Amino acid sequence: MTKKLVALFAAVAASALLVTACGGGGAGHDVVPPTPSPPPPPGAARGTLVVDPNAPAPTTLAKSAIDSYNSDESAGPTKAGESAQCNVTVVPVEYVTITPQGDPITASMGLLVPNGGCGATHPLLSHQHGTNTNDFSGSAAGADIVKAMAKYYASHGYVVVIPDYLGYGASAGLGYHPYLLAETNAATVIDAVRAARNWVAQYGASNGVALNSQLFLDGTSEGGYVTMATQRTMERDFGSEFKLTAVAPTSGPYNLGNTMLDFLQTADTSGNSQTTPATMILVGDHHAYGDVYTAPSEVFQPPWSDTVEGLIPDANYGGDTQLRNACKLPYNLDTNTANPVGPGCASNALLQPAFVAAYMSNTPGTGGAQARAHATANSLLQSWQPVAPMTVCYGSPDPMATPNAVAAAAYFGARADVVDIQGDTSFIGAWMALHADDNGYHGNVEGPGCTAFSRYFVFDPLRI
């Protein structure tokens, strides 16, 4: 695998399917509560709705607005002549979930509800978003991810959940995002699905919305990883509560232990920076497990050790370039090579050489060994097999997603379909051929192409 691993996690600004790590998710990405969200009610069960009087009001996207987004080629492929079948109401929802330590916390999500003309009952679909260094809101009606989910799913009769993940939205007070922690992020999604069901049970009748028995999961990049982790936890721990109809993870780092090793053992080169995802992984692991470092300087070199805590997510920095230009992160992960740096910023690498050596040698009792153990433990290709149909989608021009998809194919065997969207001969293949294989492929081509494939060829044929 090459060291262009940042593209495995970060989306591109024009992406219709992934939340950008460079621009905050598009227009409308400004939904930040003016005051802290209320804490969970004492003793409230996971998935319980939390009423926030400061939450933004629901917003309705008209069919014409959804179709206008459809007409933009960058928004992703659709069937010829397809148009929105109903308006979509975007509802901000807050609910109870748990932190990595098991403590209750209020989280948030967007709930996209078909608004007339899309049938009497609806399947429920949870879509997991890609990496974001900025703040995030799944209920921001102007954001690309919301418009994309309205385009592909909600305006055709799916009720859609877009969880914000911990550290974003209502749970921003946590101060960090538990990035690529399988059980924590699965819990966030599971409780979001519970909250969606609770919302429909409480408000669905007055809004003309009812759910049928079907439940789908999909997501791209980080969201592909979280989608697969959610299926594992749902089927292992809550099989009687959740009966998944089908699951479609896209271009995720499922083989996380190997991915982290690749971060560290491939030379830094211009055009390939991994400092942002590495920071999110290591800081998130430390806050979740408490054993990666005593002080950040044990892992991160100065001056970066002074800025990594609480850095991501942050509304002030919309991506890698902004972080580097503000001298918050360097370009190089573990070698001091002459790669681009922000104006006036230090040029030394992010990680301490001693930490890298301990990680690579797995030296007992070191922070490096602890971090390596966490990456291995959070790898998803071990100790389980899916029950519900799983389709792992990727595009072979993506040099990061491809090895993870190949590893998933080898591990799951006949228990999962692994689809190279670039080789598809349907209308999606023709659409993909229009796009160059450049740095935007992961977010602008692979993500929308796989989402369209999931809708048309995986989910729709199973709908009742």
Side-chain angles (χ1 to χ4, degrees), residues 77-80 82 125 152-153 158 216-218 245-248 389-393 417-432 448-463:
T78 54
K79 289 183 177 179
E82 181 173 82
L125 178 141
Y152 282 115
Y153 291 119
Y158 292 79
F216 299 92
L217 303 175
D218 85 332
T245 307
V247 179
M390 175 194 289
T391 300
V392 178
C393 189
D417 291 327
V418 179
V419 174
D420 176 7
I421 193 64
Q422 192 68 24
D424 179 63
T425 57
S426 70
F427 77 98
I428 293 177
W431 176 84
M432 302 276 280
C450 282
T451 295
F453 183 89
S454 298
R455 155 82 193 288
Y456 295 124
F457 299 108
V458 180
F459 297 160
D460 273 359
L462 297 175
R463 285 187 62 176

Side-chain angles (χ1 to χ4, degrees), residues 296-318:
S297 58
E298 296 173 5
V299 173
F300 304 97
Q301 294 196 62
W304 322 116
S305 56
D306 296 331
T307 62
V308 293
E309 286 287 334
L311 178 62
I312 304 170
D314 188 310
N316 294 311
Y317 307 108

Side-chain angles (χ1 to χ4, degrees), residues 266-364:
T266 309
D268 294 307
T269 57
S270 181
N272 309 293
S273 176
Q274 307 80 31
T275 56
T276 297
T279 297
M280 295 179 73
I281 289 170
L282 293 170
V283 171
D285 281 358
H286 176 72
H287 283 276
Y289 299 108
D291 58 6
V292 177
Y293 51 82
T294 301
S297 58
E298 296 173 5
V299 173
F300 304 97
Q301 294 196 62
W304 322 116
S305 56
D306 296 331
T307 62
V308 293
E309 286 287 334
L311 178 62
I312 304 170
D314 188 310
N316 294 311
Y317 307 108
D320 300 322
T321 300
Q322 289 187 24
L323 287 165
R324 288 196 288 269
N325 286 345
C327 302
K328 299 298 182 181
L329 287 177
Y331 194 92
N332 299 318
L333 182 63
D334 56 358
T335 58
N336 295 318
T337 53
N339 287 325
V341 297
C345 302
S347 60
N348 57 296
L350 176 69
L351 299 179
Q352 292 282 9
F355 172 80
V356 175
Y359 193 107
M360 296 305 299
S361 63
N362 206 20
T363 304

